[in-house]
Amino acid sequence: MGIGGAALWLFARMPWIEAAYDDSLAGSGTAEITGADWSTETTALALLLVVGMIAGLALRRTGRRLIGVVSALAGVGAAIAPAAVLAGPISHERVHALLTVGSDAAQAAQGTDTATIADWAEITATTVAATGPAGALAGCVCALLGGLALALRPGQDSAKLNKYEQETVRREKIRDDLESQPDSGRVLWDALDADIDPTEDPARDGKSP
């Protein structure tokens, strides 16, 4: 999932679309639109996948399963934009809105490498730069597979989570050994070491596991 999120973040910052335009005053030219500008949710989903990977390492079994489901859904959601770009067609109206000087989309893109064009410029053609969306789509597939794997096989929780539980499990095992091997010297020494009276009857004093 983390690899998928990192790949999505990286490829979303590459150009996805190259647009040719005709400006009656400034002349013709081309401009590029990155994946992050074309689909603004890719950054948030990439971050979600990376956080999901970290949470999957820290949480217990039920939490890991839930994180796997959420990450798989995030992978599916993130795959929609790059898949749509690769499948086409590209909307000239949307490209124009993203590149037009003074538009909300263009103002949101300030500080990025996305070029802007005049409002009266006309988009004449669009070309998909396949590397960016294809790489992002591959990252989404990795995230989907990783999420499904975590959801279906979240692993087992450790039976020994802290010092108290470690001691409890150890004492229960020694009591079981005393019942099955009451004459074993090793078991007797283990019982004495755990402060258990090897002569007591667990069933009588209610300490039987």
Side-chain angles (χ1 to χ4, degrees):
M1 296 185 301
I3 294 175
L8 178 61
W9 185 89
L10 176 64
F11 285 104
R13 273 141 188 80
M14 296 178 63
W16 283 17
I17 299 169
E18 183 178 283
Y21 63 88
D22 183 23
D23 187 331
S24 58
L25 297 180
S28 301
T30 60
E32 293 179 339
I33 300 177
T34 65
D37 290 327
W38 181 259
S39 179
T40 55
E41 68 273 10
T42 53
T43 300
L45 290 173
L47 179 61
L48 175 63
L49 291 171
V50 174
V51 172
M53 177 198 68
I54 298 173
L57 297 175
L59 296 178
R60 301 195 65 182
R61 191 170 190 268
T62 302
R64 291 195 297 269
R65 189 184 297 276
L66 179 60
I67 288 296
V69 172
V70 172
S71 297
L73 292 176
V76 173
I80 295 175
V85 169
L86 291 172
I90 303 300
S91 170
H92 285 199
E93 290 77 11
R94 186 179 180 193
V95 170
H96 188 274
L98 287 171
L99 295 177
T100 299
V101 175
S103 69
D104 293 339
Q107 290 176 0
Q110 287 181 355
T112 70
D113 294 331
T114 301
T116 56
I117 62 177
D119 183 63
W120 55 82
E122 179 183 355
I123 303 298
T124 57
T126 56
T127 303
V128 174
T131 301
L137 186 59
C140 294
V141 172
C142 289
L144 172 61
L145 295 178
L148 289 176
L150 184 60
L152 296 176
R153 303 185 64 181
Q156 298 295 328
D157 292 329
S158 173
K160 302 178 180 180
L161 299 178
N162 52 50
K163 183 177 180 180
Y164 174 77
E165 292 189 3
Q166 287 179 353
E167 183 63 23
T168 300
V169 172
R170 177 170 177 264
R171 290 173 68 88
E172 290 179 354
K173 183 179 184 303
I174 292 174
R175 292 183 188 280
D176 290 339
D177 290 343
L178 281 172
E179 292 183 5
S180 60
Q181 307 174 52
D183 297 327
S184 171
R186 178 189 61 79
V187 174
L188 292 175
W189 278 112
D190 288 344
L192 293 174
D193 183 61
D195 198 24
I196 297 175
D197 184 356
T199 63
E200 71 181 4
D201 185 356
R204 182 188 61 198
D205 59 20
K207 295 182 180 179
S208 177

